[in-house]
Amino acid sequence: MSETAATETESPASPIRFEVGRLAPGYFAAVMGTGIVSIGLHDAGLLVPSAVLMWITAALFVGLWVLYIWRAIAFWDRVVADLRDPEKAFAYFTVVAAADVLGVRLCQEGWMPVAASLFLFAALIWFVFGYVLPWQVMMTRDGKVILASANGTWFVWAVASQSLAVGMGQLRPQADSELAQWIGLLAVLAWSVGVILYAAMAVMVLLRVVQYGVTPQQFEPPYWVAMGALAIAVVAGAGIVQMDRTPLVDAVRPLIAATVVIFWVFCLWLIPLLVGAGIWRHVLHRVPLRYVPALWSMVFPVGMIAVASISLGKADALPAAGAVGDVALIVAVIVWAAVFAGLVHHLVNVLWASTRARRVGA
């Protein structure tokens, strides 16, 4: 029986199992989006709503791990298929970024042991995924053209790298002098790899658009990650610049300090382009705007530009950046609330369908 047929057979009888079977590889973007808005609210001094979102972030992180483990056990063939699918595989890097974002938020509460565990876990997954996922995509393509499958999820690899650099920046003040050398090395490594990966992914996605085009249906929310990946590079770079002195950090400090403002400005340039593309997709071509997991890939970039702008405004005394951050934070909260409401509505529908299925079965 084909996967489609099997899915259709499962759907009426077990709605929850059906949803687990088709769980999107990038659903940890919900943790990223909720976490970064919580961080932004904390930076703005709004501690109570920030704390509420922090606990929602933690609940999403734990709940998604339960669902992903369930999916790996019950639907291993689909997991493998996703790992080999160029349009989906790179979305698994959201696991790395989610752990780092949650860790950064916990650092703000002073929970360093838990945060450090999340950072080290993220580092391990980043190294494993960084070699395994590209290999799976590139070497198991069965003669298919990969370039035609390049999309916004490819930028998540760069986001994961930068999130690790941010996490290492949080660990640095807690490290002794010997360990500090290694933490500084990992931070610079992750930031540098993230920047290079961003450039490589941008070329691939641009070539795909030029050569194969993008239909309104194909221009999905993950393309917003192109902006979020640069915004998190700003935060990661600023963290490295503020690190204590080590030989490696001192060697790259001037270069990184010179690039963060350039990256931030380019993020601002991308925003009208992405908004215009959204109008082209939903207004001109009337693609329905409804809840899909990919919408979380838009929440994170909006929240990330807010955090990057607020951080840049404080660190470099740039009032304009701070003003952009305040406006972006308001937009991020609105976007998060809308997408979160969609998630809750979706979960209620699944639970209600599951209850009706059990009643019919009984």
Side-chain angles (χ1 to χ4, degrees):
M1 182 182 295
S2 67
E3 181 177 314
T4 303
T7 301
E8 291 174 351
T9 301
E10 291 169 6
S11 177
S14 51
I16 294 179
R17 180 180 171 85
F18 170 73
E19 291 296 324
V20 171
R22 66 173 190 160
L23 192 66
Y27 229 129
F28 271 94
V31 178
M32 296 164 55
T34 307
I36 200 61
V37 174
S38 177
I39 291 170
L41 291 171
H42 187 277
D43 290 345
L46 302 172
L47 302 184
V48 173
S50 174
V52 172
L53 264 66
M54 180 190 72
W55 287 111
I56 294 176
T57 302
L60 287 171
F61 186 78
V62 174
L64 283 170
W65 267 111
V66 172
L67 294 177
Y68 271 69
I69 292 173
W70 180 1
R71 186 174 191 250
I73 294 172
F75 302 96
W76 179 246
D77 56 332
R78 299 185 194 179
V79 173
V80 173
D82 288 343
L83 289 170
R84 295 177 176 176
D85 187 343
E87 295 185 355
K88 298 180 179 180
F90 291 103
Y92 276 112
F93 277 106
T94 56
V95 175
V96 177
D100 285 321
V101 170
L102 178 57
V104 170
R105 182 60 187 89
L106 295 179
C107 281
Q108 292 180 324
E109 297 295 321
W111 297 347
M112 280 304 302
V114 180
S117 299
L118 287 170
F119 294 147
L120 295 176
F121 170 75
L124 175 62
I125 299 298
W126 178 70
F127 274 108
V128 173
F129 280 8
Y131 293 103
V132 172
L133 288 183
W135 180 272
Q136 286 290 314
V137 171
M138 303 298 178
M139 301 304 175
T140 59
R141 55 181 176 162
D142 299 326
K144 297 179 181 179
V145 178
I146 292 180
L147 185 60
S149 300
N151 57 37
T153 63
W154 287 33
F155 289 105
V156 181
W157 191 2
V159 171
S161 302
Q162 298 295 356
S163 73
L164 183 59
V166 174
M168 293 301 102
Q170 297 292 322
L171 276 182
R172 176 65 180 87
Q174 308 296 324
D176 57 38
S177 58
E178 183 177 352
L179 185 57
Q181 302 284 338
W182 292 101
I183 292 177
L185 171 62
L186 185 54
V188 173
L189 169 67
W191 186 87
S192 304
V193 169
V195 170
I196 294 172
L197 285 175
Y198 182 88
M201 297 301 105
V203 170
M204 296 290 283
V205 172
L206 184 59
L207 286 175
R208 177 261 168 93
V209 173
V210 171
Q211 186 165 355
Y212 296 97
V214 177
T215 66
Q217 290 73 22
Q218 292 173 329
F219 194 89
E220 296 181 325
Y223 279 96
W224 278 78
V225 183
M227 185 266 286
L230 273 184
I232 194 173
V234 172
V235 176
I240 294 173
V241 170
Q242 295 170 6
M243 277 185 168
D244 293 338
R245 298 191 62 178
T246 66
L248 183 59
V249 171
D250 288 345
V252 300
R253 199 189 308 269
L255 172 63
I256 295 177
T259 59
V260 292
V261 175
I262 296 173
F263 289 166
W264 178 76
V265 172
F266 191 71
C267 285
L268 296 186
W269 180 82
L270 282 174
I271 292 174
L273 180 66
L274 293 166
V275 172
I279 294 173
W280 170 71
R281 169 181 163 90
H282 296 293
V283 178
L284 298 182
H285 291 274
R286 299 183 180 181
V287 176
L289 181 59
R290 58 177 182 272
Y291 176 77
V292 291
L295 281 173
W296 287 107
S297 297
M298 185 173 66
V299 178
F300 174 77
V302 177
M304 196 68 246
I305 189 61
V307 171
S309 300
I310 292 172
S311 174
L312 200 61
K314 292 178 179 179
D316 292 356
L318 296 175
V324 170
D326 293 339
V327 174
L329 182 59
I330 295 173
V331 175
V333 171
I334 295 172
V335 173
W336 175 85
V339 177
F340 185 74
L343 172 62
V344 172
H345 182 263
H346 176 70
L347 292 176
V348 169
N349 286 341
V350 171
L351 292 175
W352 175 247
S354 178
T355 301
R356 286 192 302 171
R358 284 199 299 269
R359 289 175 180 173
V360 170

